[in-house]
Amino acid sequence: MLNKKSVDDINVNGKRVLCRCDFNVPLDGDRITDETRLVAALPTIKKLIADGGKVILCSHLGKPKGPDATFSLAPVAKRLSELLGQEVKFAADDTVVGDNARAAVADMKNGDVILLENTRFRPEETKNGEAFSKDLASICDVFVNDAFGTAHRSHASNVGISEAMKAEGKQAAAGYLLEKEIKFLGNAVDSPKHPFVAILGGAKVSDKIGVINHLLGKADKVIVGGGMTYTFYAAKGIKIGNSLVEKDKIELAKEIMEKAGDKLVLPVDNVCAKEFNNDAPSEVVEGDIPDGYMALDIGPKSVELFEDTLKDAKTVVWNGPMGVFEMSNFAKGTLEVGKFLGTLSDATTIVGGGDSTAAVQQLGVADKLTHISTGGGASLEYLEGKTLPGIAAVSDK
Ligand code: AMP
């Protein structure tokens, strides 16, 4: 378990608490199109309010190179006010911690909440720059890191500030969301109930190689689907037509297959088309993919094989779609796998963020799964067995 200070270990009554959240939500103009990350942050914020803290929230949003109104967090303050049922004052400030933000903090009473401007308005943020870390540390008495989605990055608003706080003899604690993510991902990987089955999909072997290697050492079966399948096919000598392939990873795929033996489960049939287009006529093909065709989804026999592999599982970790799920005609494999996971009532089922999260939400089975991670890159790095700097920087218990 996480041997780090948590929000339950600190006293925030009457104190200024800076809480780093992950409010990096998709926006359509001013409208938040997916508020999963806001909802996921509420338990920690509510706890800090209930304990009488002066709650100063901060986050990044998108990738602005400096102050840029299109990346302002103002819409998040508005929606958070509604979700919390109390005002979340927005401290507009191009330098994030300038005069306006400092005045807003000075005005706070116990239980008040304010939100600072996008931390990426400061160029030092992504460089873990000391000046910004110190600015942030200067407006708070306690720091809480609840941003799992950025825990794999060493930035000023998670790592730099934690170091600055500790250097000043102040505390940096982990929020509930951070704890929850680590509890589920950590238990699944480090002390899973067996059988433990990992499902890995998505476009590229090169993106997932670290996860495949790490999980091959932990899981009983590793199911591979999606675009990276065809690099494995090429390594096995199965014809792949025009399917996605990373030619420079074919040797690596061979090595993985040798190491994995029958642990690795590949699709046995695929939905193929002549064009990368939702309206392209498609057919299910077993084995060799004919010239001129590309595989865009796994076929029904593969779904059956995967379900059979998963049916007795007690722990399942899933990252990456089984096909081009953004196109409705090639989404079935991903959706069927998601649906089947929802029926495994006896298993801990974890979705590791990114596109597979979008898929289970689209399908409406998200609430039947045990845990949907809020972090794409962070959960991948965690599943690779890496230490996440944002978590490592928090004060030890
Ligand atoms: P990743 O970000 O690595 O998880 O990859 C997700 C992307 O892989 C999605 O945009 C999918 O459309 C894409 N993808 C999955 N299967 C295939 C496939 N068979 N051919 C091409 N792209 C695919």
Side-chain angles (χ1 to χ4, degrees):
M1 236 357 266
L2 197 59
N3 201 22
K4 295 285 181 185
K5 279 234 151 62
S6 109
V7 278
D8 290 325
D9 302 322
I10 53 174
N11 174 8
V12 299
N13 190 20
K15 293 186 182 155
R16 299 167 303 166
V17 195
L18 180 66
C19 182
R20 175 41 158 121
C21 299
D22 177 9
F23 295 148
N24 186 25
V25 288
L27 284 174
D28 179 10
D30 273 0
R31 201 172 59 85
I32 296 164
T33 54
D34 179 353
E35 59 187 34
T36 309
R37 285 177 163 167
L38 303 192
V39 174
L42 295 177
T44 300
I45 301 173
K46 284 182 178 165
K47 158 82 175 161
L48 297 173
I49 296 170
D51 286 357
K54 296 173 180 175
V55 186
I56 308 159
L57 305 174
C58 72
S59 174
H60 81 289
L61 173 68
K63 293 182 175 172
K65 293 274 174 275
D68 179 343
T70 48
F71 292 97
S72 173
L73 277 169
V76 170
K78 187 162 168 270
R79 183 65 189 131
L80 268 182
S81 304
E82 291 162 3
L83 291 170
L84 282 169
Q86 82 171 66
E87 188 194 8
V88 175
K89 187 174 170 184
F90 183 60
D93 204 316
D94 277 356
T95 59
V96 189
V97 193
D99 291 344
N100 197 35
R102 288 183 189 278
V105 172
D107 251 8
M108 292 178 85
K109 298 185 189 59
N110 296 1
D112 280 355
V113 184
I114 69 169
L115 173 62
L116 302 181
E117 185 51 285
N118 190 342
T119 51
R120 292 223 184 165
F121 281 16
R122 287 284 288 265
E124 308 105 300
E125 163 71 329
T126 53
K127 301 185 184 88
N128 197 14
E130 207 180 3
F132 185 38
S133 306
K134 284 191 168 164
D135 273 355
L136 289 169
S138 73
I139 56 165
C140 66
D141 308 302
V142 187
F143 174 63
V144 172
N145 186 2
D146 209 20
F148 180 72
T150 45
H152 59 313
R153 307 272 182 231
S154 260
H155 288 175
S157 68
N158 62 345
V159 172
I161 179 168
S162 298
E163 302 299 350
M165 295 297 282
K166 290 188 291 186
E168 291 174 25
K170 298 191 279 191
Q171 309 221 338
Y176 289 138
L177 177 61
L178 207 71
E179 282 193 311
K180 186 173 155 206
E181 294 273 11
I182 296 306
K183 179 176 153 221
F184 282 109
L185 291 169
N187 279 351
V189 177
D190 297 325
S191 47
K193 271 200 185 164
H194 290 273
F196 170 25
V197 182
I199 312 169
L200 300 173
K204 291 185 181 164
V205 179
S206 46
D207 287 346
K208 305 277 160 90
I209 180 67
V211 185
I212 299 177
N213 269 331
H214 191 61
L215 293 185
L216 272 175
K218 308 263 182 185
D220 301 293
K221 293 277 179 193
V222 175
I223 292 173
V224 164
M228 67 176 161
T229 302
Y230 313 103
T231 301
F232 284 96
Y233 270 24
K236 282 179 83 130
I238 301 175
K239 287 194 174 154
I240 58 165
N242 293 334
S243 305
L244 205 63
V245 65
E246 285 170 281
K247 290 208 168 99
D248 60 339
K249 295 288 176 291
I250 294 175
E251 273 313 306
L252 183 66
K254 274 187 194 154
E255 283 166 31
I256 294 173
M257 286 189 304
E258 261 166 41
K259 187 170 121 189
D262 63 1
K263 254 193 195 182
L264 197 74
V265 183
L266 290 169
V268 288
D269 62 348
N270 295 280
V271 183
C272 301
K274 284 185 174 164
E275 285 168 60
F276 190 82
N277 181 336
N278 192 38
D279 300 322
S282 64
E283 50 193 279
V284 175
V285 178
E286 274 182 55
D288 285 335
I289 295 160
D291 289 344
Y293 282 82
M294 61 185 89
L296 296 176
D297 194 10
I298 58 170
K301 286 199 173 153
S302 305
V303 170
E304 252 175 58
L305 171 68
F306 291 0
E307 289 182 355
D308 195 51
T309 309
L310 286 161
K311 67 179 192 306
D312 299 319
K314 291 280 179 289
T315 307
V316 181
V317 171
W318 180 22
N319 186 292
M322 299 289 100
V324 187
F325 81 105
E326 298 93 332
M327 297 185 196
S328 58
N329 290 331
F330 304 105
K332 197 155 183 233
T334 304
L335 299 185
E336 290 294 331
V337 168
K339 217 189 310 182
F340 189 74
L341 290 187
T343 66
L344 297 176
S345 52
D346 210 18
T348 302
T349 46
I350 295 166
V351 176
D355 281 334
S356 14
T357 297
V360 293
Q361 272 159 353
Q362 197 176 307
L363 182 69
V365 297
D367 60 343
K368 296 201 177 64
L369 306 179
T370 316
H371 180 67
I372 316 281
S373 176
T374 54
S379 56
L380 260 190
E381 291 202 13
Y382 197 82
L383 295 176
E384 282 176 44
K386 288 187 183 162
T387 301
L388 303 185
I391 295 171
V394 166
S395 309
D396 293 328
K397 257 210 205 302

